[in-house]
Amino acid sequence: MFETAIDVTSKELQARVGKFLFYDRILDNFLPILLLFAVLIPISINYVIELMGYSVPQNWTGVEVAIGGSFTYVLMKMLVRKRREYHVESDEWVRFYTYSIFVNLQNYDKTRSLGVKKSYRKKALKNCRNFVSSLEERWVIGNLKPILQLVGNSISDLKKNLRYRVIPAIKDGDEELLKQVSQIIYNFLISSRDLSIEGINEINRQMSERLPSKEPLKLGLLAKGAKLIKAHGALKHSLALITIGISSFIIGYIGWTYGVPVEYAWMGGIAIFVCFTGIYFQKYG
């Protein structure tokens, strides 16, 4: 069984996903990098210059912010283009994560060292959580209502089963339960070679019948709020723009308090808002 699973997922896919995730992690942290280049470094340089007894030209900070923002925006576009070179299809994400979970569960079963077993269980748990995140962030279903009803329900059930059945079983389940998880994930891995809605429905059936559910009876306020924001794209984007706007205002105000002429301080804040907004919609729009 183990050898068959290895054949399913090629080394090329493992390497490509690794590259994609590398650039994706950089882009996930790009707004703080932009803040560093466009604001903190210019302000710090000006502060050091003033400490040395020299005067900073009135429009110098605005120029620094513009240069830093432009450089960072160009770098971001290059990273987006580079990530696109390693594009991973939806069925390939399934193959990648089911393979990773399965291998760690197999290694867990084979080893007798308690410390090593714990390590493999943690890796399988991390892979499964990343799998759920991948389903939520990377699977684009479409806008046609019949497709949403047919595909959306299956994907929604899959996410629920992974979150409330598979993850708890990997985290706290006994040896027998882990064997059940390993078999189901293996079946999912095999079906990912020709992924279909029927195949996903069959995996959902196996998870529902073989694994106990740990779904909470009630969602907390934070969980409800997060679910509402995820479900409504307009609300999510509005909150993001409000956050970017407040941050840009604070940055402009800080620049003004450091002696930057008011027109340049607010121009810098507006420029940062535009850059932040462009980067946000480039990734999440």
Side-chain angles (χ1 to χ4, degrees), residues 17-232:
V17 170
K19 289 284 189 180
F20 181 94
L21 292 176
F22 171 75
Y23 290 109
D24 200 55
R25 279 191 291 268
I26 295 176
L27 288 166
D28 274 338
N29 296 286
F30 212 76
L31 292 183
I33 295 174
L34 175 62
L35 179 64
L36 182 66
F37 273 103
V39 180
L40 296 183
I41 289 179
I43 289 175
S44 300
I45 291 173
N46 291 351
Y47 186 67
V48 171
I49 291 173
E50 290 177 352
L51 285 179
M52 295 171 64
Y54 298 99
S55 60
V56 179
Q58 283 191 344
N59 61 349
W60 181 240
T61 300
V63 172
E64 289 175 317
V65 170
I67 292 173
S70 300
F71 172 80
T72 311
Y73 185 77
V74 170
L75 181 58
M76 181 273 296
K77 297 290 285 185
M78 291 172 60
L79 289 169
V80 169
R81 191 179 301 115
K82 196 69 178 175
R83 183 184 61 178
R84 197 177 294 125
E85 292 178 8
Y86 300 101
H87 176 70
V88 182
E89 299 290 346
S90 296
D91 61 322
E92 291 178 320
W93 284 114
V94 175
R95 203 172 311 148
F96 173 78
Y97 281 116
T98 52
Y99 174 81
S100 302
I101 296 167
F102 177 74
V103 167
N104 281 297
L105 290 177
Q106 283 288 300
N107 290 335
Y108 170 91
D109 186 57
K110 289 180 178 181
T111 187
R112 294 292 167 260
S113 167
L114 292 179
V116 177
K117 287 177 83 72
K118 183 178 180 181
S119 175
Y120 282 128
R121 188 191 279 249
K122 287 177 67 175
K123 288 178 181 178
L125 182 61
K126 181 180 178 182
N127 290 143
C128 197
R129 285 172 172 160
N130 289 340
F131 187 18
V132 175
S133 297
S134 176
L135 290 174
E136 292 175 341
E137 296 173 9
R138 307 186 196 284
W139 278 38
V140 179
I141 297 173
N143 296 319
L144 292 177
K145 191 173 181 180
I147 296 177
L148 286 171
Q149 289 175 337
L150 176 65
V151 181
N153 290 339
S154 299
I155 302 304
S156 178
D157 289 342
L158 177 60
K159 288 187 286 190
K160 284 180 65 176
N161 282 327
L162 287 168
R163 182 178 285 113
Y164 299 121
R165 295 180 188 274
V166 177
I167 287 177
I170 295 175
K171 184 179 180 182
D172 301 314
D174 57 24
E175 300 295 318
E176 187 57 38
L177 202 55
L178 284 177
K179 287 180 180 179
Q180 291 290 337
V181 172
S182 184
Q183 181 62 58
I184 293 169
I185 293 297
Y186 172 77
N187 294 341
F188 201 0
L189 172 58
I190 295 301
S191 70
S192 70
R193 288 181 292 185
D194 187 20
L195 195 64
S196 65
I197 295 303
E198 290 76 14
I200 292 174
N201 289 338
E202 171 60 23
I203 295 301
N204 280 329
R205 184 191 65 78
Q206 293 178 26
M207 290 178 179
S208 298
E209 291 181 357
R210 299 188 196 180
L211 305 176
S213 176
K214 294 291 182 69
E215 185 173 1
L217 296 177
K218 273 190 175 183
L219 291 175
L221 288 176
L222 288 177
K224 285 182 179 178
K227 189 175 182 180
L228 179 66
I229 291 171
K230 279 187 177 181
H232 296 83

